[in-house]
Structure formats: structure tokens, C-alpha cells
């Protein structure tokens, strides 16, 4: 039974409530409020807030990073052990538990298979559509190079890009905005316990897959690998429930897993399967889920996630190998394969260690610069480019500018290389002599994945230093401008491409300095530069090391890659946060990190809790329950249940349990207890009734209750959690934080020495305290 708990102001209805004057005004989990600087005031949604809220599309939305949004709900990762739950668990014998465990493995296998198939679909469609576009543009450029009029070729390239990106942006902006970006920040929030609307819906998956295909084909500085993580998570969320609420189809399977706790574990497996399919890195996928995604972990989960990742890689490998005509070769383990690096030709020596560390420093500084620029750009977008039509126009503008920049740089470049022995897919001759091609086109006139592999493996002398320098500079700003557009796109591959370009340039410079010494091979330094740049932007270490090793098929570079990534992270963290954490913060999401702020021991539960608390009696009048649930000025999600002694004026009420907002499913007359006979129940609900409604419980407004039914009584004993977690009001904030975070709680009841309820700690009460540049700071709560 889902416990949608909450705390907020007293509604003045007929119920038992403990009221304590708070030391500081506070808000509950979803108490609607509007913020003025330095002041928090509760308002009625029906009256005052309509005047205070901005118009639907104002010219500017005031926004800053010091806010915490009240619009995000929480997920409940702690099972509510009410009577219904315990009765079902006690009925399950050992054989039934083994059946449940087998089902978990079956679901993980299905997640791996479907994620691999989705990755195959994306790869094949992108390859064909992008190939068609590049062939059309190449033929046009070749034709107009001979007879003049290359401006028409530029116009054709820019128009094709803008048209394709327009379609991809329209479906995201107008149909499913949560499908924008890579989806990694959203999945990270979901696994942390924040309910991001529509984040694991079927519609989101369809828009994500179509959107990322159109973004890559449209020539944006994006990659198709990042969104695979979001796609895998959506597949996992759907498969594990055994039904589709979007299609209104229930297959009557996997009903046991219809709760937040189980769903979370499968979403972790889906994210790992997505990484595995993207890079052909099963171990890297597990480590990514552990390092960047999952907030909760155990040993059994590790094995299941690894199994899902393994199946995902094998499925993708099998299908793509058949598609490429090598049915028994299994030569396509991931969407991108960095190719094999020859250890004999490209080994490294001990004198290169300081060089790798220096590259890590450069990657950290460039990554911090990338994130800082993207931060201010995202702030501008939130404030001014919030209309869907403006978002589509911006995406088309970026696509056209990207094509124009690429064309101009290819046109101005005189870096001609012999075409023999080259692996370039679409060589542009332009003004080069016969038998030669323009090397700037290898970087710009290709999908970013192919460009990365070319920079890794093209022989020395394939690129002029000026070509690499100009490409790095222009692509850096294009990628920074592109991330955050209303399109489905990832930042992994653009980051690798930027790093590979300046890394290869670094290797060429070293080669000049050392007069062509063998250890200054530019391909090796392209790999280190790619790792440094990606590490400097996303701040991943362990998982990225393994992903890079698995994608290159070479363990030799494990130590230098690790060294580069650690250095890039340390240097980058000194200046600014990682890109994903930064975007979570900009969206004002109440995200809980692993530990409480280090300087927060001076705060206690009494100072951070939400008060006063809306409470219910164990046997409550139906009218009271309906009024509480129907009140639009509050959005409480859970209520402490108090046990009233007979002489209530002499003894204070004590905590008896906590019941969730899902009790709105109990309001129909069949569960009422007649006042004359409190032991009479006409129909006894089962846990299945709640699972059938999960996760979209019916609103209380959809249930009609007559005046006579309002006078009936309802016994909450079997629906409440009789053993909620509580803390004394003197507990320190780090202790409260550790309990809340480690157990995946949604609410934590605060009691005094007499076990009286004095407050409730919610996610937002904890998330609003963070360590800033000037020490511990408290964020303001607002309806952003």
C-alpha cells in the first residue's frame, strides 16, 4: 500500500491534532506556498495564490538557484507494514518466495533484451537517415564546387538540419517535455526518491527514441548514447509492473512488484542496461548505476543488474552483427565501439605520468568552463525561453548555425590529405587536388561517434594542428550551446569528441617537441584527452574508467585513464559542480545527497521539522476524512493516527501509527463501519485493491459520498502503518538525515518525551539545507 504521507497546517476540521508553536515557519511535503525573500507564507490556492502566481507565459520567469520547488512529490521507498501487507507476507511460503525471486531474474532478462532492441533500432535508423543526408549534401557540394554557387550547398545543409531538428524539438516541447536532454538527471532524481512527472511513461520512451534519432540526424553536437540510460529506465519501469497505464492494458503479471521499492530496483537495472547497450560495457553499466544513479544498493541487486547489463549487450551485439552481415562474429558490442588500441605501438612509460596528470588538469578546467557557461545559458533559458514555440525556434537556430559553422570551416580549411588508406565515410574533396580530401570534413561532416573513432585511430599526420585547434574551439561552444535545448540528446559523445580533438593536438605538439618519439602517438593522447574532457564535465571516475576500458578493449590504459579522470574531477570540483548535479539544482529539485552538510550539527529536528501536523483518530468520521482529502488549499500526503484515551483532557493523545493519502481508496461505502456496530464491515479490502490502482490512485473528487455516508465511521487500524519511524525532537540534523536517507523514508515523525507528535520531517525540510560558499545556507521554498 503506497503511503503518500505529508504534513502541513491544521485545517481546523473535526480531528485530533497536536499543535506546537514552531520556532520558525516551515512547510510540509506539499504545502502550497508562495515565497517572498526572507518570508514564507501559506496561502489559499482558491483565493490569493491566483493573484500571486505569474501569468501562463510571462516575458520573464524570476528564477534563481537559491530556491527549492514545492511542486515535486516524493516516492516512498519504505514499505508500509500495515495489517494488509503483513497478512500477505505471512501467507507466502518459501516456495512462493523463490518464485518471486525467479520472476525478478526474468524481468531483468526482459529489460536487457528490450533495451538492446531499442538501441539497435536507434543505431540502424540513425545510420541510414544520417547516411542519406550526408550523401545528398556531399553530391550537392561536389556538383557546385565545379561550377560555382556553393552558397546553395550551405543553404541545403542548414535547411536539412533545421527541418529535421524542428520535428525532433516539436515532439519534445509540445508532447513530452520531460524527454528533453539525456534524461540522466531525471533518472538520478527518481532513484533518489523524487517523483518527476511522466519520467517513466511509455509516451516518454517513444518521444525519447524518436527525438534522439532526429537530433543526431539533424547534425546537432549531441550523441545517442546518453538517452539510452533514460530509455532503459522507462523500459524497466514498464516491464516490472506487468501492465501499461498509458495503453490501459493489464497483463495480470508481476503484481507483487507494484510498489515504489521494487520499481526503484528495476529502474536501476534499466539504467545500467542502457549504459551497457550504449558502450558495450556490462561492468561499466553496473558501476554507472552505482556511482551516478542508485541511491540504494545491496549485493543481490548487484547480480541482477549485472545480468540485465550482460543480456542487453549480448542482444545488441547479436542483432547488429546479423544486420552487418557477420552473424557469428559478434563484433558490435555497443552503439559506439572505440576500436582496438595496439598496446605494442601505443604503450606508455613512467615519464608520461606527469603528462597525463597535466591533461587531467586541462580537462578539469575546460570541463568547469563548459559547466559554468552552460549554467548561465540554462538560467537564461529558464527565464526567457520557456514557451514551447520559442524552444523550437532556438533548436532550429542552433541546428542551422551548427551546419553553417561546419560548412564555413570546411570551406576555409586547406588541410588536404591523401584519400588512399583513409577510413573516412563521406570524403569531401572541395578545393583539394584529385585523390585528396579535406580533413576538416572528417570532424564536421560525420556523426559525432564516427568523428571520435577517426580521431582515435587515424594515423599520425592525418590532421593539421590548425584544423584541430579551430575544431576544438568551435565545437566546444556549439556543444555547450546545444546541451539544454528542448531536444532528446546526450552530452557523452560531444564531450569525448572535444577531448579527443584537443588531446590529439596535444599529442602532435609533443611529437614536435620530442622529434617524433614513438610514445608521442597522437591517438593515445586523443583517448586521454577524451577521458579528461568527459570527466571534467560529468565528474564520473570509477564507472567511466571501466566504460573506457571496455569500449577500447584494452586494459593497458586503465591506470592512466583512472589518473586522468581523478585529476579532472578534483580540479573541476574546485570551481563548479558536475553538469548533472548542476541541472538538478537549477530545476530546484529536493535532491538528497549521501551525507548531510558537514556543518549542520547545530540544528535539531525541532528546528527543521514541519509544523503543525494534520492528524486523524483511529476510528474517524468519514466526513472528516473526505473534507481533509478534498481541501484544495492543502496537499498533505500522510497523517499520524492518534490513539485517544477516555479521559482525553487529562492524558495527551499518543502516536498509534501513520496512514497515507491512498486511504482515499477506502472511502467508498463498502468499507464503512456503521456507528451502531463498530465491528461490522461489509467488505474487507485486500492489498491487491491498492496495487491495482498503483501508481495513479483515484482523486477524492471522483468518489461520491452522500450525507448519510459522511456520518459513518471508518476504522483505520488495518490500513495504517503501526510502526512508523520516529525521532526525538532533540535529534541532530545529521542523525535525522542519515535515518531518512538510508531507509528511503518519505516522512519521519518527530515526537517529544511523552510520545506526542510535535512535527514531521519531510524531504524538503532536509534538502533545503546545503553547504554554500559562505557555510551552511537555507534555501527558500517556492512554487516554481
Amino acid at each position: 500500500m503506497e503511503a503518500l504521507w505529508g504534513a502541513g497546517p491544521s485545517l481546523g476540521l473535526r480531528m485530533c491534532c497536536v499543535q506546537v508553536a514552531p520556532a520558525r515557519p516551515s512547510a510540509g511535503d506539499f504545502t502550497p506556498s508562495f515565497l517572498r525573500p526572507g518570508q514564507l507564507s501559506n496561502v489559499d490556492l482558491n483565493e490569493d495564490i491566483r493573484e500571486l502566481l505569474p501569468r501562463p507565459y510571462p516575458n520573464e520567469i524570476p528564477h534563481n538557484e537559491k530556491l527549492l520547488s514545492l511542486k515535486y512529490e516524493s516516492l516512498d521507498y519504505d514499505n508500509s507494514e500495515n495489517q494488509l501487507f503483513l497478512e500477505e507476507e505471512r501467507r507466502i511460503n518459501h516456495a512462493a518466495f523463490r518464485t518471486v525471486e525467479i520472476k525478478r531474474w526474468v524481468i531483468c532478462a526482459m529489460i536487457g533484451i528490450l533495451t538492446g532492441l531499442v538501441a539497435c533500432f536507434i543505431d540502424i535508423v540513425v545510420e541510414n537517415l544520417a547516411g542519406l543526408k550526408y550523401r545528398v549534401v556531399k553530391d550537392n557540394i561536389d556538383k557546385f564546387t565545379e561550377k560555382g554557387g556553393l552558397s546553395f550547398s550551405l543553404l541545403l545543409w542548414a535547411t536539412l538540419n533545421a527541418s529535421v531538428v524542428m520535428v525532433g524539438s516539436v515532439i519534445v516541447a509540445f508532447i513530452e517535455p520531460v524527454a528533453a536532454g539525456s534524461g540522466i538527471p531525471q533518472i538520478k532524481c527518481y532513484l533518489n526518491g523524487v517523483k518527476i512527472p511522466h519520467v517513466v511513461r511509455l509516451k516518454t520512451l517513444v518521444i525519447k527514441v524518436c527525438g534522439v534519432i532526429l537530433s543526431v540526424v539533424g547534425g546537432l553536437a549531441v550523441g545517442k548514447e546518453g538517452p539510452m540510460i533514460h530509455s532503459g529506465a522507462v523500459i524497466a519501469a514498464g516491464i516490472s509492473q506487468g501492465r501499461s497505464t498509458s495503453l490501459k492494458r493489464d497483463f495480470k503479471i508481476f503484481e507483487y512488484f507494484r510498489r515504489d521499492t521494487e520499481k526503484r530496483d528495476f529502474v536501476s537495472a534499466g539504467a545500467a542496461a542502457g549504459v551497457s547497450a550504449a558502450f558495450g560495457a556490462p561492468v561499466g553499466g553496473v558501476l554507472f548505476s552505482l556511482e551516478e544513479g542508485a541511491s540504494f544498493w545491496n549485493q543481490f541487486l548487484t547480480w541482477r543488474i549485472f545480468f540485465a547489463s550482460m543480456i542487453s549487450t549480448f542482444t545488441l551485439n547479436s542483432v547488429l552483427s546479423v544486420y552487418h552481415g557477420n552473424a557469428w562474429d559478434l563484433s558490435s558490442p555497443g552503439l559506439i565501439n572505440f576500436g582496438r588500441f595496439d598496446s605494442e605501438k601505443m604503450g606508455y612509460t613512467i615519464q608520461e605520468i606527469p603528462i597525463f596528470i597535466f591533461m587531467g588538469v586541462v580537462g578539469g578546467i575546460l570541463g568547469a568552463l563548459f559547466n559554468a557557461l552552460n549554467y548561465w545559458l540554462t538560467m537564461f533559458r529558464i527565464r526567457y525561453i520557456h514557451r514551447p514555440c520559442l524552444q523550437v525556434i532556438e533548436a532550429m537556430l542552433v541546428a542551422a548555425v551548427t551546419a553553417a559553422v561546419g560548412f564555413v570551416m570546411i570551406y576555409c580549411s586547406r588541410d588536404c590529405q591523401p584519400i588512399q588508406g583513409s577510413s573516412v565515410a563521406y570524403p569531401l574533396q572541395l578545393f583539394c587536388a584529385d585523390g585528396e580530401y579535406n580533413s576538416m570534413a572528417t570532424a564536421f561532416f560525420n556523426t559525432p561517434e564516427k568523428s571520435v573513432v577517426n580521431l582515435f585511430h587515424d594515423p599520425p599526420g592525418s590532421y593539421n594542428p590548425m584544423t584541430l585547434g579551430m575544431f576544438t574551439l568551435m565545437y566546444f561552444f556549439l556543444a555547450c550551446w546545444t546541451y539544454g535545448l528542448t531536444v532528446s540528446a546526450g552530452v557523452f559523445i560531444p564531450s569525448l569528441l572535444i577531448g579527443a580533438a584537443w588531446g590529439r593536438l596535444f599529442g602532435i605538439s609533443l611529437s614536435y617537441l620530442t622529434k617524433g618519439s614513438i610514445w608521442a602517438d597522437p591517438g593515445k593522447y586523443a583517448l586521454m584527452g577524451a577521458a579528461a574532457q568527459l570527466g571534467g564535465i560529468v565528474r564520473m571516475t570509477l564507472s567511466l574508467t571501466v566504460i573506457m576500458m571496455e569500449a577500447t578493449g584494452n586494459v593497458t590504459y586503465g591506470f592512466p585513464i583512472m589518473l586522468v579522470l581523478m585529476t579532472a574531477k578534483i580540479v573541476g570540483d574546485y570551481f563548479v559542480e558536475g553538469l548533472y548535479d548542476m541541472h538538478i539544482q537549477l530545476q530546484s529539485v529536493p535532491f538528497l545527497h549521501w551525507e548531510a552538510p558537514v556543518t549542520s550539527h547545530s540544528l535539531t529536528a525541532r528546528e527543521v521539522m514541519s509544523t503543525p501536523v494534520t492528524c486523524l483518530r483511529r476510528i474517524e468520521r468519514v466526513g472528516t476524512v473526505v473534507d481533509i482529502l478534498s481541501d484544495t488549499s492543502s496537499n498533505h500526503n500522510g497523517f499520524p493516527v492518534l490513539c485517544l484515551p477516555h479521559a482525553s483532557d487529562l492524558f495527551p493523545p499518543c502516536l498509534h501509527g501513520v496512514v497515507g493519502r491512498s486511504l482515499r481508496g477506502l472511502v467508498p461505502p463498502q468499507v464503512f463501519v456503521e456507528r451502531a456496530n463498530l465491528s461490522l464491515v461489509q467488505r474487507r479490502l485486500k492489498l491487491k485493491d491498492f496495487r491495482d490502482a498503483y501508481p495513479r490512485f483515484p482523486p477524492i473528487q471522483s468518489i461520491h459520498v452522500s450525507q448519510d455516508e459522511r456520518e459513518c465511521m471508518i476504522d483505520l487500524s488495518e490500513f495504517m502503518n503501526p510502526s512508523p519511524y520516529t525521532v526525538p525532537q532533540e535529534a541532530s540534523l545529521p542523525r535525522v538525515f542519515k535515518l531518512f536517507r538510508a531507509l528511503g523514508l518519505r516522512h519521519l515523525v518527530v515526537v517529544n518525551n511523552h510520545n506526542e507528535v510535535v512535527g514531521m520531517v519531510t524531504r524538503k525540510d532536509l534538502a533545503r539545507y546545503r553547504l554554500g560558499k559562505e557555510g551552511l545556507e537555507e534555501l527558500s521554498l517556492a512554487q516554481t
Side-chain angles (χ1 to χ4, degrees):
M1 169 178 167
E2 185 194 41
L4 304 172
W5 301 343
S10 171
L11 302 178
L13 298 172
R14 191 178 148 216
M15 58 191 159
C16 176
C17 184
V18 179
Q19 300 208 13
V20 175
R24 171 185 47 76
S26 179
D29 199 357
F30 306 97
T31 307
S33 61
F34 186 80
L35 177 79
R36 296 184 182 91
Q39 176 187 3
L40 185 69
S41 60
N42 293 322
V43 295
D44 191 326
L45 277 177
N46 291 328
E47 298 176 7
D48 303 330
I49 201 165
R50 290 174 185 157
E51 300 174 9
L52 297 171
L53 288 174
R55 296 187 304 275
Y57 290 116
N59 292 328
E60 177 184 358
I61 293 180
H63 182 85
N64 65 68
E65 70 279 12
K66 303 292 185 184
L67 295 180
L68 203 62
S69 178
L70 287 167
K71 72 180 181 182
Y72 292 106
E73 297 188 11
S74 296
L75 296 163
D76 192 10
Y77 289 155
D78 177 52
N79 289 325
S80 177
E81 292 193 343
N82 52 40
Q83 288 185 28
L84 297 178
F85 177 81
L86 291 176
E87 286 173 8
E88 182 186 75
E89 291 296 308
R90 287 165 184 157
R91 284 197 301 267
I92 300 177
N93 55 26
H94 179 68
F97 272 117
R98 292 193 64 178
T99 304
V100 168
E101 190 62 23
I102 291 170
K103 286 181 180 178
R104 287 195 176 99
W105 287 92
V106 170
I107 291 172
C108 287
M110 294 172 68
I111 290 169
I113 292 169
L114 285 178
T115 304
L117 291 176
V118 167
C120 290
F121 175 77
I122 292 174
D123 189 64
I124 292 170
V125 175
V126 165
E127 183 181 335
N128 285 281
L129 290 182
L132 177 64
K133 184 193 81 169
Y134 286 127
R135 282 193 296 273
V136 169
V137 176
K138 180 183 181 302
D139 292 345
N140 191 272
I141 290 176
D142 290 342
K143 182 174 73 172
F144 282 102
T145 302
E146 297 175 4
K147 62 180 186 179
L150 276 172
S151 55
F152 182 78
S153 300
L154 168 60
L155 188 63
L156 174 68
W157 192 0
T159 304
L160 280 174
N161 275 17
S163 302
V164 173
V165 169
M166 180 189 72
V167 179
S169 183
V170 164
I171 61 175
V172 171
F174 288 95
I175 300 178
E176 197 54 89
V178 79
S182 66
I184 296 175
Q186 290 91 331
I187 295 303
K188 195 171 176 178
C189 291
Y190 180 89
L191 294 173
N192 189 259
V194 182
K195 185 178 182 181
I196 308 293
H198 300 179
V199 72
V200 288
R201 293 269 185 94
L202 177 62
K203 185 169 70 171
T204 304
L205 174 64
V206 173
I207 300 300
K208 194 85 182 181
V209 170
C210 297
V212 73
I213 289 171
L214 294 167
S215 298
V216 176
V217 172
L220 291 175
V222 300
K224 59 181 182 285
E225 282 70 20
M228 276 309 305
I229 296 158
H230 191 177
S231 300
V234 179
I235 290 168
I239 292 295
S240 63
Q241 303 303 290
R243 68 175 177 189
S244 170
T245 49
S246 300
L247 299 177
K248 296 180 173 56
R249 290 290 305 274
D250 190 342
F251 299 100
K252 305 296 182 184
I253 55 174
F254 308 141
E255 293 173 337
Y256 181 81
F257 305 117
R258 292 178 187 175
R259 55 177 183 259
D260 287 341
T261 316
E262 297 285 353
K263 197 172 180 181
R264 173 200 68 204
D265 291 346
F266 290 119
V267 168
S268 297
V275 175
S276 182
F279 296 99
V283 180
V286 175
L287 293 175
F288 174 86
S289 195
L290 172 61
E291 183 180 8
E292 277 296 305
S295 297
F296 310 93
W297 202 262
N298 61 51
Q299 186 177 6
F300 295 110
L301 186 61
T302 307
W303 284 106
R304 289 199 296 270
I305 289 180
F306 179 68
F307 179 66
S309 296
M310 183 182 68
I311 294 293
S312 175
T313 300
F314 179 75
T315 302
L316 178 85
N317 207 338
S318 303
V319 176
L320 286 187
S321 296
V322 171
Y323 174 74
H324 291 133
N326 307 314
W328 305 105
D329 194 16
L330 296 182
S331 54
S332 304
L335 291 185
I336 180 170
N337 186 1
F338 295 148
R340 301 234 169 232
F341 284 81
D342 192 339
S343 302
E344 294 180 5
K345 292 182 181 178
M346 298 176 63
Y348 64 94
T349 58
I350 193 165
Q351 58 262 41
E352 290 181 88
I353 298 298
I355 298 173
F356 294 147
I357 294 174
F358 176 74
M359 292 185 76
V361 172
V362 174
I365 293 171
L366 289 178
L369 177 63
F370 184 99
N371 292 359
L373 291 174
N374 192 261
Y375 173 87
W376 293 112
L377 182 60
T378 305
M379 286 287 286
F380 178 83
R381 283 176 174 143
I382 291 172
R383 289 175 177 168
Y384 298 103
I385 312 180
H386 44 267
R387 296 171 185 258
C389 54
L390 291 177
Q391 294 168 343
V392 173
I393 291 170
E394 186 198 14
M396 293 174 63
L397 176 65
V398 174
V401 169
T402 303
V405 167
F407 184 88
V408 170
M409 292 189 68
I410 293 170
Y411 181 83
C412 296
S413 173
R414 292 295 179 268
D415 184 9
C416 297
Q417 302 292 337
I419 204 166
Q420 272 191 335
S422 170
S423 59
V424 183
Y426 308 103
L428 281 179
Q429 181 179 352
L430 219 58
F431 300 115
C432 294
D434 290 342
E436 294 183 337
Y437 70 97
N438 189 310
S439 71
M440 181 67 84
T442 13
F444 265 115
F445 200 68
N446 220 328
T447 57
E449 291 87 356
K450 299 276 179 59
S451 300
V452 170
V453 176
N454 287 336
L455 285 168
F456 283 168
H457 295 289
D458 281 354
S462 299
Y463 298 90
N464 189 297
M466 181 64 72
T467 299
L468 291 171
M470 290 300 298
F471 174 78
T472 301
L473 183 66
M474 297 307 301
Y475 206 81
F476 181 90
F477 290 107
L478 285 174
C480 186
W481 189 14
T482 304
Y483 189 78
L485 289 177
T486 312
V487 295
S488 298
V491 76
F492 269 82
I493 300 302
S495 304
L496 290 172
L497 182 52
I498 296 166
W502 69 254
R504 191 174 181 98
L505 177 61
F506 188 83
I508 292 172
S509 305
L510 273 179
S511 184
Y512 284 144
L513 292 174
T514 59
K515 296 186 171 64
S517 188
I518 186 64
W519 55 266
D521 189 285
K524 173 175 57 180
Y525 287 97
L527 176 65
M528 296 304 154
Q533 186 66 54
L534 184 53
I537 291 175
V538 300
R539 310 291 159 76
M540 290 159 52
T541 52
L542 182 64
S543 57
L544 195 52
T545 301
V546 177
I547 288 171
M548 296 289 281
M549 284 195 301
E550 288 186 280
T552 56
N554 196 322
V555 187
T556 308
Y557 298 118
F559 177 69
I561 289 173
M562 202 179 305
L563 202 61
V564 163
L565 289 172
M566 287 294 291
T567 309
K569 176 176 171 56
I570 292 168
V571 173
D573 283 343
Y574 179 79
F575 296 104
V576 70
E577 285 184 303
L579 190 65
Y580 299 142
D581 290 332
M582 189 185 76
H583 276 264
I584 289 171
Q585 181 182 317
L586 281 170
Q587 294 300 319
S588 304
V589 178
F591 186 88
L592 296 181
H593 294 279
W594 286 103
E595 298 287 343
V598 291
T599 58
S600 59
H601 278 86
S602 58
L603 293 172
T604 63
R606 184 177 63 243
E607 295 171 283
V608 303
M609 67 187 183
S610 299
T611 58
V613 183
T614 303
C615 304
L616 293 170
R617 297 176 298 186
R618 188 176 63 82
I619 297 179
E620 188 60 89
R621 194 171 67 90
V622 170
T624 301
V625 175
V626 172
D627 290 341
I628 291 172
L629 297 176
S630 303
D631 196 291
T632 55
S633 66
S634 67
N635 198 7
H636 312 323
N637 286 275
F639 313 92
V641 178
L642 304 181
C643 184
L644 290 177
H646 293 293
S648 57
D649 54 337
L650 298 177
F651 298 97
C654 60
L655 180 65
H656 198 60
V658 176
V659 68
R661 180 169 280 270
S662 54
L663 63 87
R664 58 183 176 266
L666 311 179
V667 178
Q670 62 264 32
V671 298
F672 295 166
V673 179
E674 298 295 338
R675 299 188 68 178
N677 184 0
L678 294 181
S679 63
L680 176 64
V681 178
Q682 294 184 9
R683 175 182 179 269
R684 190 156 188 271
L685 287 182
K686 297 180 180 179
L687 201 58
K688 183 180 183 302
D689 296 320
F690 293 94
R691 286 182 177 153
D692 287 343
Y694 174 83
R696 303 181 197 174
F697 290 94
I700 190 66
Q701 291 79 7
S702 65
I703 299 170
H704 175 70
V705 181
S706 67
Q707 189 59 41
D708 289 341
E709 291 166 348
R710 288 177 61 87
E711 297 304 319
C712 293
M713 305 299 286
I714 184 169
D715 188 350
L716 301 176
S717 298
E718 63 177 335
F719 309 111
M720 70 181 184
N721 183 4
S723 55
Y725 292 101
T726 62
V727 289
Q729 57 186 345
E730 299 304 324
S732 67
L733 176 59
R735 190 169 185 81
V736 173
F737 189 100
K738 189 175 293 184
L739 179 65
F740 194 97
R741 176 71 170 73
L743 296 176
L745 303 182
R746 184 165 188 170
H747 295 85
L748 188 58
V749 181
V750 182
V751 296
N752 61 13
N753 297 334
H754 303 289
N755 200 33
E756 298 172 281
V757 178
V758 295
M760 192 93 84
V761 174
T762 68
R763 169 176 289 272
K764 294 180 179 68
D765 295 324
L766 298 175
R768 68 171 174 232
Y769 293 96
R770 75 176 185 198
L771 198 61
K773 294 179 180 177
E774 299 175 359
L776 189 66
E777 60 184 20
E778 181 180 353
L779 304 182
S780 303
L781 299 171
Q783 284 282 11
T784 59

